[in-house]
């Protein structure tokens, strides 16, 4: 009932995608998410497959992005499409460049221009990570700029876990209630949405809500620990049920 191949890390990574989506949906007026059916059972329909005209980072024909949504400000304003990439971990320049290359060389969001392959007008990349490497600077011409400034020049927004935690603090949640803890505690994307909704509506009970989820999912954590031990001993994860 979990993705055995990568166990806990894979679960948390998918939970992070759902958490970012929840906040986008909560704070973006008029956001319309794209959906598509998938052959793989349990794969979120809001994960989108892009078709590539050139290989990017080992991807030959297709690549996946975590979410795509469109916002139309008004009847006389052009819509803006946002494409989301999530990573649970520290992001570096290579990660941002790889994401943008996927978008540029996709049939969905890229276009040929006199200056080379670029994003289509009205398309903005969004990269969400638990953290961005604060020590990494990027050399652009004769300037050295931060990773955040580099992404901004490429029309890419960076979202950090700290940004979402700030929203939780503003709502009245205690410091111990974080988006990281939510992603680590819940079992899947559906429970991410349910837990965040409960916390948002009852911020004074947020710690108890997470404690209840932790107790309810103890069997899952035991199974993941078993997988980790099995992998350490043999190098091959066990597929035994919990």
């Amino acid at each position: 009932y979990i993705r055995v191949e990568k166990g806990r890390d894979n679960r948390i990574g998918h939970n992070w995608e759902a958490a970012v989506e929840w906040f986008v949906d909560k704070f973006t007026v008029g956001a319309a998410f794209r959906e598509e059916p998938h052959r793989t059972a349990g794969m979120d329909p809001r994960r989108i497959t892009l078709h590539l005209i050139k290989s990017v980072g080992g991807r030959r024909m297709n690549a996946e992005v975590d979410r795509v949504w469109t916002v139309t400000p008004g009847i006389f304003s052009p819509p803006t499409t946002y494409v989301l990439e999530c990573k649970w971990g520290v992001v570096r320049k290579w990660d941002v460049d790889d994401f943008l290359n996927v978008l540029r060389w996709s049939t969905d969001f890229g276009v040929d221009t006199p200056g080379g392959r670029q994003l289509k007008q009205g398309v903005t990349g969004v990269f969400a990570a638990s953290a961005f490497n604060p020590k990494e600077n990027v050399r652009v011409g004769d300037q050295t700029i931060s990773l955040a400034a580099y992404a901004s020049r490429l029309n890419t927004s960076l979202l950090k876990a700290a940004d979402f935690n700030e929203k939780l603090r503003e709502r009245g949640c205690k410091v111990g209630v974080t988006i990281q803890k939510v992603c680590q505690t819940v079992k899947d994307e559906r429970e991410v949405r349910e837990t965040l909704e409960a916390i948002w509506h009852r911020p004074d009970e947020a710690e108890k809500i997470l404690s209840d989820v932790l107790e309810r999912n103890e069997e899952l954590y035991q199974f993941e620990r078993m997988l980790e031990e099995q992998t350490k001993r043999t190098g091959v994860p066990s597929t035994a049920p919990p």
Side-chain angles (χ1 to χ4, degrees):
Y1 62 97
I2 67 168
R3 299 168 180 88
V4 172
E5 289 78 6
K6 295 185 179 179
R8 180 175 182 271
D9 290 342
N10 207 26
R11 172 177 64 85
I12 295 174
H14 282 83
N15 289 346
W16 173 236
E17 296 170 17
V20 175
E21 173 206 304
W22 186 89
F23 274 95
V24 169
D25 211 5
K26 176 67 69 176
F27 290 98
T28 306
V29 178
F33 284 86
R34 184 185 299 186
E35 296 187 1
E36 68 178 29
H38 297 285
R39 295 180 181 177
T40 304
M43 187 171 175
D44 197 301
R46 289 188 172 183
R47 296 194 79 199
I48 302 301
T49 302
L50 306 184
H51 302 287
L52 303 177
I53 63 174
K54 177 184 176 180
S55 296
V56 178
R59 310 172 192 86
R60 298 185 60 185
M61 302 293 293
N62 302 306
E64 289 180 358
V65 290
D66 295 320
R67 301 292 186 272
V68 177
W69 68 94
T70 300
V71 177
T72 305
I75 59 173
F76 299 113
S77 302
T80 299
T81 297
Y82 297 88
V83 188
L84 174 68
E85 179 76 5
C86 294
K87 181 180 179 182
W88 182 261
V90 177
V91 165
R92 295 170 288 273
K93 176 180 179 294
W94 183 92
D95 300 299
V96 175
D97 287 340
D98 182 66
F99 171 50
L100 286 174
N101 282 331
V102 166
L103 300 188
R104 289 189 186 111
W105 292 104
S106 71
T107 58
D108 305 68
F109 303 119
V111 63
D112 290 319
T113 73
R117 191 77 179 174
Q118 300 294 336
L119 292 185
K120 291 179 180 178
Q121 188 173 4
V123 175
T124 298
V126 181
F127 207 120
S130 50
F132 291 88
N133 188 352
K135 298 181 179 179
E136 183 166 13
N137 294 318
V138 182
R139 189 75 179 175
V140 179
D142 58 352
Q143 287 185 306
T144 300
I145 60 177
S146 68
L147 181 59
Y150 172 72
S152 179
R153 289 192 180 191
L154 299 175
N155 197 31
T156 300
S157 301
L158 301 184
L159 298 177
K160 307 180 297 299
D163 299 327
F164 303 123
N165 289 335
E166 184 177 348
K167 293 295 183 184
L168 294 177
R169 299 292 86 74
E170 292 173 359
R171 190 66 177 175
C173 296
K174 295 182 179 179
V175 176
V177 178
T178 65
I179 195 66
Q180 294 97 319
K181 186 169 291 186
V182 170
C183 292
Q184 292 163 351
T185 303
V186 302
K187 66 180 180 180
D188 55 26
E189 295 95 324
R190 178 187 58 79
E191 196 169 58
V192 168
R193 301 179 184 102
E194 293 175 352
T195 302
L196 284 173
E197 279 292 334
I199 288 173
W200 194 257
H201 290 292
R202 305 195 306 277
D204 55 324
E205 300 178 27
E207 289 182 310
K208 184 179 186 307
I209 291 170
L210 282 181
S211 177
D212 290 344
V213 173
L214 189 69
E215 182 178 349
R216 184 168 66 243
N217 290 334
E218 178 57 33
E219 186 178 2
L220 170 63
Y221 311 141
Q222 291 178 2
F223 184 38
E224 290 175 341
R225 288 192 290 269
M226 180 270 291
L227 291 178
E228 291 174 0
E229 290 301 318
Q230 175 76 9
T231 302
K232 288 178 183 178
R233 291 195 303 270
T234 67
V236 178
S238 169
T239 56

